Amino acid sequence: MKAPALLDNTRLPRWLLPSDWPQRDGVPVLARMALEAGRVQSVQPAADAAVRPPGSWDLAGTLVLPGFVDAHTHLDKAFTLPRMKEVQPGLLGAIDAMLNDRVHWSPADVRERASRGLQWAWECGTTHVRTHVDWWEPDAVPLAWPVMAELAQEWAGKVRLEQVGLIKLPLFEDASQALRLARQVKATGPQALLGGFVHSTNWSENALRNLLVAAQACDLDIDLHVDEELNASAVGLQTTARILREIGFEGRVVCGHICALAAQPEAQAFATLDAVARVPITVVSLPATNLLLQDAVTGRTPRQRGITLVKEARERGIPLLFASDNVQDPFCRLGSFDPVEALGTAALVAQLDDPFDTWSQALCRSDWLQRASAPATPTLAGATADLVLFTQADRHGWPSRSATRVVLREGCVTHGDAAPFFPR
Ligand SMILES: [Zn+2]
């Protein structure tokens, strides 16, 4: 079903409006959005209802966001939990359980589970998903890797799927092998990125340098799991920032997790963030899995919560996204490939002010994963009309009551019930 040419009285978040947008009582006034040929043609302050063209929808203050990016998922592991027996607590216990599950993996198994994840993402209003794919061998491409490449093609136009080779850091110890791995990733297609698991248990500055240099040689962007631990001596992030500067890396580098910043003395953590702000690093925070996997000991209530320094990162202008991470696998038994859930968790654990007006951009700024420098002032005008309408939430409580939505893709309703907006 096609939406009309005019969506009136939409409530857009402050970050998506120009700085001179009118306000009433310190709150942005509602917007009138004109749609044409699947795009948003213009965004203006809402005007007199009397001049509303027939057929227009009156959204009466409904919260509206652009389509979401889920910047960090593991579609290859999703939905494996039901077939697991006992899983030891913590990140390393989950990794062990996952390794034992590998006997069940076949292309058909991975395809079925990953497709389910993409379907859920599509239904909740996500337009762009990035998945990591576990990669254990130096000479063999994992069986899930070509499955993701096929799914990227099949879902093109609905969900843009990117795939990151999540390669054990020791496989980069040898520079020529690092280059071979990077070339294999590059040959997959433009949706592929080089990645690695950077943790104090496998730490090697040499291997990390080889990874970054190999990506640079192959003109690849990078997406790393970094310092996913509460060990204050973890130096993955600060070393990544230093090497990127040394080699003059011009691609985009995503650093996910970086929990260790929360365990370090503030002066040290802030110095690292200052260095991160000077290189093309985007931070991705994964609050749900951090809560479940950090400070995890059987029978003991966790004390430290593992969220990274999200406010301090944003204060420094560092692009930052919240994402789902693991869904219904040994790393995280919950989850639904809905990044709004991740923000709901972050809003509590990181005590975020103003989730809708300020922090919702951490779900929508797909451009923060891209190489080209982000626009100073993001705007919907001219963008594809991929929109999510929250029919039962208000800005005070959002993202509570956000499950009921209407999703528009290129100006057509793909999910949800738009009947309440129809003219009477
Ligand atoms: Zn992850």
Side-chain angles (χ1 to χ4, degrees):
M1 180 205 170
K2 197 160 172 279
L6 196 81
L7 307 182
D8 208 6
N9 295 318
T10 65
R11 175 60 161 84
L12 297 173
R14 197 182 291 273
W15 63 267
L16 197 51
L17 297 168
S19 56
D20 60 353
W21 186 267
Q23 309 208 5
R24 195 166 297 138
D25 299 328
V27 177
V29 301
L30 304 181
R32 171 173 281 195
M33 298 168 57
L35 310 187
E36 190 180 284
R39 303 191 85 82
V40 179
Q41 196 189 35
S42 65
V43 180
Q44 304 287 338
D48 188 353
V51 296
R52 194 185 296 151
S56 305
W57 287 359
D58 179 6
L59 272 75
T62 297
L63 306 182
V64 175
L65 289 176
F68 307 126
V69 52
D70 205 342
H72 181 133
T73 68
H74 292 268
L75 287 170
D76 59 338
K77 298 173 183 158
F79 307 116
T80 52
L81 191 67
R83 62 196 187 202
M84 305 252 163
K85 296 199 177 79
E86 195 115 330
V87 180
Q88 294 302 311
L91 176 62
L92 302 179
I95 290 174
D96 280 345
M98 207 67 248
L99 287 174
N100 293 333
D101 188 65
R102 279 169 64 186
V103 295
H104 301 294
W105 289 34
S106 67
D109 167 61
V110 172
R111 164 177 283 274
E112 186 280 314
R113 292 184 289 98
S115 301
R116 207 185 325 165
L118 287 164
Q119 179 67 27
W120 290 13
W122 152 249
E123 287 171 8
C124 81
T126 293
T127 61
H128 181 174
V129 171
R130 181 174 284 186
T131 184
H132 294 260
V133 177
D134 276 14
W135 189 312
W136 305 277
E137 311 292 339
D139 304 312
V141 171
L143 69 85
W145 187 254
V147 175
M148 295 304 164
E150 290 164 19
L151 290 173
Q153 290 215 328
E154 286 168 29
W155 282 82
K158 291 169 93 177
V159 176
R160 175 178 170 197
L161 178 61
E162 292 178 303
Q163 58 189 109
V164 184
L166 172 48
I167 302 175
K168 293 196 303 189
L169 197 63
L171 297 189
F172 293 99
E173 201 61 65
D174 176 72
S176 58
Q177 181 168 289
L179 197 56
R180 268 204 315 280
L181 286 164
R183 286 195 182 122
Q184 271 181 312
V185 168
K186 181 72 181 179
T188 309
Q191 83 284 8
L193 296 95
L194 193 62
F197 182 70
V198 181
H199 191 269
S200 60
T201 53
N202 67 8
W203 173 239
S204 160
E205 179 171 334
N206 174 61
L208 178 62
R209 181 180 295 270
N210 287 344
L211 186 166
L212 302 176
V213 167
Q216 187 179 40
C218 294
D219 193 30
L220 280 166
D221 286 346
I222 296 170
D223 196 324
L224 303 170
H225 283 65
V226 186
D227 301 344
E228 187 181 353
E229 55 188 312
L230 292 167
N231 177 355
S233 61
V235 291
L237 181 63
Q238 77 182 61
T239 312
T240 302
R242 172 166 55 76
I243 298 173
L244 290 176
R245 207 168 153 83
E246 284 170 15
I247 67 176
F249 192 87
E250 288 181 338
R252 173 64 41 188
V253 179
V254 169
C255 290
H257 291 291
I258 56 173
C259 310
L261 280 186
Q264 290 170 352
E266 280 198 350
Q268 182 191 347
F270 291 172
T272 298
L273 285 175
D274 289 340
V276 167
R278 291 193 288 267
V279 288
I281 288 181
T282 294
V283 169
V284 175
S285 175
L286 297 313
T289 40
N290 293 164
L291 284 171
L292 273 166
L293 297 175
Q294 300 304 311
D295 199 14
V297 179
T298 303
R300 174 183 172 276
T301 308
R303 313 296 203 268
Q304 298 172 278
R305 309 316 297 118
I307 187 96
T308 195
L309 306 188
V310 294
K311 294 182 185 178
E312 294 80 354
R314 287 301 299 134
E315 244 172 54
R316 287 162 174 78
I318 298 169
L320 182 139
L321 300 167
F322 291 111
S324 294
D325 208 2
N326 298 84
V327 171
Q328 304 191 19
D329 68 15
F331 296 80
C332 183
R333 60 175 50 252
L334 308 178
S336 60
F337 289 102
D338 178 2
V340 180
E341 280 187 4
L343 182 59
T345 305
L348 300 176
V349 72
Q351 303 173 355
L352 302 181
D353 299 324
D354 234 0
F356 182 74
D357 270 318
T358 304
W359 288 93
S360 61
Q361 66 180 324
L363 307 182
C364 301
R365 295 296 299 272
S366 186
D367 55 307
W368 281 347
L369 294 182
Q370 310 307 316
R371 199 174 276 209
S373 60
T377 318
T379 176
L380 273 179
T384 307
D386 295 337
L387 302 168
V388 184
L389 286 44
F390 295 95
T391 47
Q392 296 195 343
D394 65 44
R395 73 179 176 94
H396 303 285
W398 189 89
S400 294
R401 289 178 64 77
S402 66
T404 308
R405 321 173 180 176
V406 175
V407 178
L408 301 189
R409 296 299 303 273
E410 297 185 20
C412 292
V413 177
T414 57
H415 299 97
D417 178 13
F421 307 139
F422 298 166
R424 271 182 272 256

